[in-house]
Amino acid sequence: MSLPAITIENSLADAAERLAEVSDSPRLDAETLLAWVLDAPRSHLFTHPEAELNDQAARAFSAALARRHQGEPVAYITGSKEFWSLLLKVTRDTLVPRPETETLVEQALLLIPRDRPCRILDLGTGSGAIALALASERPNCEIVATDASRDALEIAKENAKQHELDNIRFVEGTWIEPVADECFDFVVANPPYVRDDDPALDELRYEPRSALAAGPDGLDAIRRIAEDAGRILAANGTLFLEHGADQGNAVADVLRQTGWTGIECINDLAGHPRVTKAAR
Ligand code: GLN
């Protein structure tokens, strides 16, 4: 009796069933990983469901599934993640860019003019996701991206080079420290905002804790930015902060107490309060 052939379709079905134990998107995870193993676009899986996997591909897929089953994000296994239509390199030194952060980019672009070269600061850039998205949309703007992690900055620089974006300057340091004597029209940040005791941190254990957790109420980084960013913002400048879905009111309070006005919270595509903008 011969064994059933290991085709793309039945590999995906088995993999999705197995990943359902650990992932909210098992089928998508399986497809992304198999496409990566085959070095083919995901569409290849749908046009060639009956194609058989050779031994090498079957082994590589099985190894990737084992990692995903342990909880490792798909993006760390494949080494990349798409954000704002840009394929970005990511490693365990950088947070995996999330779709909700595109809401911040979208909101910032509503205010950043196309016809006037502005100066934009991205605090805690990580893989460079926000900085690169803004740089690609506003090529005449000058963007400065900071991060306390030298390793993260190296990845962000590689990503900028890969996408031939030369209007970003990368500087190492904590929040505004390395640019304290400069002036910006826009300041944007996706800082850490998870509470130190949030059980979700266990699920996020592969990602840098310093990019996720921010004190007992998750607001330590946001408080720091709210206190400091006013000093480097031009008159009429705007601050955009990403935060947790349940932090809209708390972030507004922090901003009010630190002298900000025009505070407005915007929902992400899932309908959760996610981005707050403010002016001086
Ligand atoms: N949105 C992330 C999450 O999955 C947190 C990112 C951050 O802290 N900036 O919880």
Side-chain angles (χ1 to χ4, degrees), residues 95 98 100 190-194 204 211-212 242 274:
L95 192 76
R98 311 252 198 294
E100 55 267 32
N190 172 20
Y193 53 72
V194 179
L204 304 172
L212 288 165
E242 180 175 324
R274 183 64 64 193

